[in-house]
Every structure is written in structure tokens, then in C-alpha cells.
């Protein structure tokens, strides 16, 4: 048995979003959990849509989310290069072999002709498949077109009578008929390798044993198996993970508020939160606890991947964000809060600030709001706060000022004294005090906030309220 090798094979045509991050995670977890390795291959054969900046970004984003690859760009490996755009010589050799065994033929049909034919088939309620027109050209006709320099793709022949059956590790037994597939393109007119071909050849060449990818690739699999068979190359085990959908059941998109890893990182999501969320999106773990990547890998099982579409739930993601945040040390939380917060919180208040605020924030921007509320003067009150403060009245804050003089950093004693002096209690007591001191109706415990504000600032704020 070859040792387990999994891979992530993104096309660098955009930033990694939750859908492909999940596929990458599953692949990496499976490789790791089976004592194997995980490789990264950049599928950049489509020169028009592939961009260097996306390659850089996706490598960065994968590292950020903790998915290091053992083979691939930057780290090298026995099957380099790991960029498909640099693997032309390998593909040429395989095209040659397929051609000499009679598996392929040049197709001179233009885009426009093909489009028209597809439309006609669809209108007639038939599945769109290539008519086989160029397969029937005589050797002379072919030679003549070649001599004229008519642009051509390379097609792979699929016998109508063929049945292609395979066992998908998630979706069980699959069977396709050759006549529904039709002859398909394996080299584009510009000479670049088409997906079915380069993807399958590379998996085999690189010794990939398990291909975990999205359900949208399921119907590509029979084509890829035919290519591998024709080349006498080993086929990997395929595992097609269910699609992620939005709440409306449609494939997850920006419209559902789905964001790229990049945007999630910028918003302050923690890698562990994303790992724990995605690891459970269409896959079950026995534990509801926050798991490390090692633990996620140990519990990962292809048999635990669901067949039903997995619904994206931002509340769940937020739940894991809170779990991940709670697991950080104070120093880590401080770094996570970032430079904006650092610029506002006085150095001698840092420890108190972190302790008070960390249970109340989900993202660094919330921490920044708290830093401003606590340490930026004058405190701005919104209309609702002003109204509540006005309702408490002048006498209430006069009493509060007197109470503060006696209990400058003990909120319990301070509020007790206000209560005693005014007879006001419960929400009517705490709400205006909190608003006057922080401008906000909720948040960290006042017992922590009052000493952090310090006597002078608390006094100024109560004065202002009065
Ligand atoms: N480049 C393909 C994609 O990004 C890879 C599919 C696969 O994993 O086989 O969709």
C-alpha cells in the first residue's frame, strides 16, 4: 500500500472562500490523520483567468489557516514543479501516448459551432454532448485542415457502449454511461491542458492516493478515470464532499454573506475557529469542544462526511470564534486586538483592560470600541443614552458624585451609596450609571470598569451627565 497522500489543487482565479477552504481542510486532515502527507498544486493552466496575486494570496491564506503542505510551491518535493503552467513537457508526453494508442483526435469545431449544437440539444431536451463530427473525419480531411492551420482542440474518445463505475468514498457506488459523456476536450486550442486531463495526470504522477473535492466535480470523475485507464495510471480514491449552501439552499455565495478567508482574517476571525467550524460543516465529530488541528485530524473520517448539502450557519462560526477566543492567553488576545487598541489603552491599564473586555468581544473592532469608550474623552452619548441619563435627573448624579468621592474604585460600594442616597434601585439605578460612565447599555462588569476609568475620569463623566 502506498502511503496516504492527499492534495489541494486550487485554480488561482480568486481568493479562497469557505467552500474551497473546507475542501483543503478535509484533504489536509485526512492526510495528517493517516500518517501521510498533503500536497499543494496550483492549477494555473488557464492563463487568462489565473493570476499571480491569487497564487500568493492562496498560499498565504492556507498557511494562515494552519494547512501547511509537505510538498508543493515553496517547499518543493519529488514531483516538482507544482504549478501546472510549468508541467507542459509532462503533459506533452502523455498526449503523445494517448494519440499513438488512438485515444484522441483533433477537433476543428469552432466555439460558435459547439455552442449552437449545445443549444439545439438542450432545446430538444437532450443532454449536451459532442456529436463526434471530427471523430469521423478521414485522415486526408484531417491532414488538410492541419495544413491550413485551422485551430483545433484535442478530444478524448469515449465509446458509447462503455460503462464507467466507481466507488465514491462519500457518495457510494457511481455508474456512468459512455454515451452520456461524449468525446471531451483534453487540450485547448491554445495548446494548454484542459482540467480533466492535467488534474488526473498530475494526481497519478504525484502519487495522490485520495482526492477529496467538491461534489461539483463528481461528474468529471468518470472522464478522469477513462484518461487514467488509457494511460495505464493508477486511479486515486475519490471522495466528493457535499456542496455548502446558504440558508435558501442555493450554493453558498457572497449573496449569503459568505466571505473569503482573507476577509475573515481581516475581520479578526481566528484560524482555530474556522478550522473547527469547517471541520464540522457536513462532517461530524463526537466532541463539541474546541479541537486542535491534530485532534481534528485524528477524528476525521471520510465515512463521516454527509451526502446532504451542508448549510452555512454564521452563528455556528461565531460560536467557534468565541470558543477559540476563550482558549487564547491574555498575551494572544492582546496581539489579536491589534494596534488600534494598543494606541488607545494606557500601558498600565493593559492587563485590566484585557481581563475586563475579552469576555465581551468577538472581534478586534469591538475591543477598539471598548478602548475608545473607556479611555477616550469626552465620552460621546448617543440619543438613547442622553435620554436615559436625563431621565435619571440632576439630583441622581449629584448623589453619584458624592458617592464616588467616598468609593472611587469600588463599584459595589459606590452604587450602594447612590441607592441609599436616592432610593433608586435595580435597573433604574445601574442603567444610568453605566451609560454615564461608558456610554453603552451593556458590556464588561462595572466592578472592573470603574477602577479602570480612575477617579478623575469617572468624576468628569458623572459631572457631564449631571
Ligand atoms: N482546480 C480544480 C478546482 O479548483 C481542482 C478540482 C479538484 O480538486 O480536483 O476546482
Amino acid at each position: 500500500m502506498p502511503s496516504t497522500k492527499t492534495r489541494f489543487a486550487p485554480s488561482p482565479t480568486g481568493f479562497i472562500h469557505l467552500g474551497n477552504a473546507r475542501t483543503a481542510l478535509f484533504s489536509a486532515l485526512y492526510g495528517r490523520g493517516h500518517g501521510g502527507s498533503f500536497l499543494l498544486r496550483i492549477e494555473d493552466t488557464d492563463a487568462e483567468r489565473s493570476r499571480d496575486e491569487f497564487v500568493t494570496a492562496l498560499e498565504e491564506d492556507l498557511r494562515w489557516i494552519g494547512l501547511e503542505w509537505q510538498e508543493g510551491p515553496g517547499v518543493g518535493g519529488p514531483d516538482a514543479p507544482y504549478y501546472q503552467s510549468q508541467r507542459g513537457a509532462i503533459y506533452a508526453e502523455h498526449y503523445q501516448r494517448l494519440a499513438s494508442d488512438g485515444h484522441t483526435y483533433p477537433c476543428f469545431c469552432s466555439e460558435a459551432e459547439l455552442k449552437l449544437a449545445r443549444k439545439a440539444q438542450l432545446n430538444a431536451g437532450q443532454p449536451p454532448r459532442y456529436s463526434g463530427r471530427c471523430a469521423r473525419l478521414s485522415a486526408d480531411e484531417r491532414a488538410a485542415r492541419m495544413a491550413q492551420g485551422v485551430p483545433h482542440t484535442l478530444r478524448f474518445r469515449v465509446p458509447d457502449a462503455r460503462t464507467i463505475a466507481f466507488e465514491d468514498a462519500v457518495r457510494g457506488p457511481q455508474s456512468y454511461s459512455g454515451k452520456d459523456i461524449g468525446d471531451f476536450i483534453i487540450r485547448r486550442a491554445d495548446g494548454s491542458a484542459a482540467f480533466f486531463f492535467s488534474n488526473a495526470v498530475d494526481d497519478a504522477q504525484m502519487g495522490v492516493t485520495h482526492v477529496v473535492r467538491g461534489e461539483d466535480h463528481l461528474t468529471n470523475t468518470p472522464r478522469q478515470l477513462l484518461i487514467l485507464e488509457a494511460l495505464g495510471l493508477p486511479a486515486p480514491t475519490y471522495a466528493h464532499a457535499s456542496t455548502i449552501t446558504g440558508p435558501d439552499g442555493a450554493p453558498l455565495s457572497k449573496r449569503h454573506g459568505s466571505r473569503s478567508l482573507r476577509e475573515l482574517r481581516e475581520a479578526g476571525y481566528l484560524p482555530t475557529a474556522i478550522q473547527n467550524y469547517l471541520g464540522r460543516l457536513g462532517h461530524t465529530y463526537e466532541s463539541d469542544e474546541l479541537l486542535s488541528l491534530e485532534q481534528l485530524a485524528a477524528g476525521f473520517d471520510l465515512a463521516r462526511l454527509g451526502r446532504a448539502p451542508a448549510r452555512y450557519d454564521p452563528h455556528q462560526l461565531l460560536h467557534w470564534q468565541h470558543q477559540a477566543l476563550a482558549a487564547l492567553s491574555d498575551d494572544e488576545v492582546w496581539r489579536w486586538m491589534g494596534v488600534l487598541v494598543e494606541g488607545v489603552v494606557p500601558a498600565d491599564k493593559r492587563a485590566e483592560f484585557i481581563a475586563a473586555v475579552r469576555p465581551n468581544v468577538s472581534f478586534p473592532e469591538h475591543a477598539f470600541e471598548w478602548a475608545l469608550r473607556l479611555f477616550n474623552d469626552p465620552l460621546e452619548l448617543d440619543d438613547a443614552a442622553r435620554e436615559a441619563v436625563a431621565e435619571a435627573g440632576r439630583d441622581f448624579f449629584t448623589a453619584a458624585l458624592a458617592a464616588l468621592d467616598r468609593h472611587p474604585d469600588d463599584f459595589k460600594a459606590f452604587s450602594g451609596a447612590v441607592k441609599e442616597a436616592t432610593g433608586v434601585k435595580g435597573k433604574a439605578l445601574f442603567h444610568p450609571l453605566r451609560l454615564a460612565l461608558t456610554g453603552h447599555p451593556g458590556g464588561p462588569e462595572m466592578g472592573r470598569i470603574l477602577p479602570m476609568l480612575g477617579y478623575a475620569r469617572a468624576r468628569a463623566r458623572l459631572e457631564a451627565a449631571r
Side-chain angles (χ1 to χ4, degrees), residues 60-382:
E60 240 172 60
D61 293 349
L62 279 180
R63 287 210 173 89
W64 172 71
I65 199 190
L67 304 184
E68 298 285 339
W69 49 100
Q70 287 74 54
E71 256 182 68
V75 295
D79 300 301
Y82 294 94
Y83 295 88
Q84 289 193 323
S85 57
Q86 296 168 17
R87 296 176 64 79
I90 297 167
Y91 301 148
E93 181 196 322
H94 287 85
Y95 284 129
Q96 189 51 51
R97 274 170 56 197
L98 289 176
S100 55
D101 290 346
H103 288 293
T104 59
Y105 59 87
C107 173
F108 302 94
C109 297
S110 69
E111 276 289 343
E113 286 169 325
L114 294 170
K115 209 166 153 185
L116 219 67
R118 253 198 309 272
K119 213 167 155 187
Q121 283 170 326
L122 285 173
N123 286 344
Q126 293 159 353
R129 45 156 291 183
Y130 181 57
S131 67
R133 189 168 78 171
C134 288
R136 293 186 290 270
L137 293 178
S138 69
D140 286 350
E141 285 170 318
R142 236 170 239 158
R145 276 173 221 210
M146 288 289 204
Q148 282 163 22
V150 181
H152 61 277
T153 61
L154 193 68
R155 277 192 193 267
F156 186 89
R157 282 181 213 278
V158 181
D160 274 0
R162 248 326 273 273
T163 300
I164 305 103
F166 66 97
E167 178 80 19
D168 186 83
V170 179
R171 328 198 78 79
Q174 307 291 315
S175 177
Y176 292 84
S177 156
K179 76 175 182 336
D180 294 332
I181 294 177
D183 300 348
F184 58 89
I185 295 175
I186 61 171
R187 193 177 62 207
R188 302 187 189 98
D190 66 3
S192 63
F195 165 74
F196 300 128
F197 173 84
S198 48
N199 179 270
V201 166
D202 285 346
D203 281 338
Q205 280 276 310
M206 296 178 177
V208 170
T209 58
H210 293 76
V211 167
V212 185
R213 60 184 180 184
E215 191 182 356
D216 49 324
H217 285 292
L218 183 66
T219 56
N220 298 333
T221 308
R223 294 175 177 83
Q224 303 198 291
L225 289 170
L226 287 172
I227 295 173
L228 293 174
E229 182 190 78
L231 287 165
L233 292 173
T237 297
Y238 288 96
H240 288 91
S242 59
T243 308
I244 307 181
T245 67
D248 58 357
L252 185 64
S253 70
K254 279 216 181 78
R255 183 164 62 82
H256 300 110
S258 163
R259 287 181 278 173
S260 64
L261 279 194
R262 211 130 259 252
E263 290 169 307
L264 294 172
R265 178 175 75 185
E266 274 154 24
Y269 279 91
L270 294 161
T272 326
I274 298 177
Q275 290 163 5
N276 273 267
Y277 176 60
L278 291 181
R280 290 174 172 88
L281 190 54
H283 177 273
T284 48
Y285 279 100
E286 251 140 50
S287 166
D288 286 337
E289 311 269 299
L290 186 78
L291 299 176
S292 68
L293 205 61
E294 282 315 315
Q295 292 169 318
L296 287 170
F300 183 81
D301 190 349
L302 293 178
R304 283 175 174 264
L305 285 173
R307 289 184 193 179
R311 209 158 274 227
Y312 170 65
D313 180 354
H315 303 293
Q316 275 299 315
L317 179 56
L318 195 57
H319 163 79
W320 290 110
Q321 170 75 353
H322 292 149
Q323 301 293 310
L325 205 47
L328 295 186
S329 69
D330 281 355
D331 279 348
E332 288 167 330
V333 168
W334 181 248
R335 253 175 281 136
W336 169 81
M337 286 178 171
V339 288
L340 288 180
V341 172
E342 199 175 330
V344 179
V345 178
D348 62 335
K349 302 281 185 195
R350 183 178 294 185
E352 287 166 83
F353 179 80
I354 297 169
V357 165
R358 63 177 289 168
N360 293 85
V361 298
S362 309
F363 300 104
E365 68 173 298
H366 301 153
F368 183 53
E369 285 162 13
W370 274 108
L372 292 178
R373 266 176 213 136
L374 297 175
F375 301 112
N376 196 38
D377 289 298
L379 179 67
E380 305 259 350
L381 298 191
D382 65 15

Side-chain angles (χ1 to χ4, degrees), residues 29-51:
L29 293 180
Y30 190 79
R32 232 180 228 242
H34 288 76
S37 57
F38 169 60
L39 82 79
L40 174 65
R41 180 175 72 233
I42 307 296
E43 303 215 317
D44 55 352
T45 57
D46 185 342
E48 233 161 74
R49 295 177 58 226
S50 300
R51 297 231 301 265

